[in-house]
Amino acid sequence: MKLFLSTIATASLAIAAQPALAQQAEAPAATEMAPVSDSELENFIIAASMIGNLQQNAEMEKAEKDQKAIQILSQAQLTPTRFNSIGAALQTDKNLQARAEQAVTKLRAQQAEG
């Protein structure tokens, strides 16, 4: 988890510009989505931040980025479909957006402590 927390500095940007994780999984309609737990939301924020940083790496090929993104999601206990669903919901769900902002604040405070 410490490895994940080192990337929280860019989490706010990662949420706003959440990269669609490949065409490997389509996000289902928001009405079909199961509720997002606080721990799942934190895992999403961390994964989105790490994947955002990964996507900015110009030295890596797309296939390698995709493979590493899948590894990040696996560590975060998220499937590509669930990741994309949460990202899509964050675009329109004001309550989820507020919860995400609170989670980012919490994660940054944890990072500052450790």
Side-chain angles (χ1 to χ4, degrees), residues 38-58:
D38 290 343
S39 64
E40 188 177 35
L41 185 57
E42 287 180 12
N43 287 349
F44 170 86
I45 291 165
I46 293 165
S49 177
M50 293 178 76
I51 291 170
N53 288 338
L54 179 68
Q55 295 300 331
Q56 294 176 6
N57 185 338

Side-chain angles (χ1 to χ4, degrees), residues 77-108:
Q77 300 175 337
L78 293 168
T79 65
T81 300
R82 185 64 174 166
F83 179 83
N84 286 340
S85 295
I86 294 170
L90 276 168
Q91 300 300 313
T92 58
D93 186 332
K94 300 291 184 197
N95 181 44
L96 190 57
Q97 290 171 4
R99 287 179 53 213
E101 288 176 18
Q102 290 174 342
V104 168
T105 300
K106 176 183 170 186
L107 290 167
R108 284 185 176 157

Side-chain angles (χ1 to χ4, degrees), residues 23-37:
Q23 294 69 24
Q24 299 166 6
E26 293 184 26
T31 56
E32 300 172 16
M33 192 171 98
V36 180
S37 70

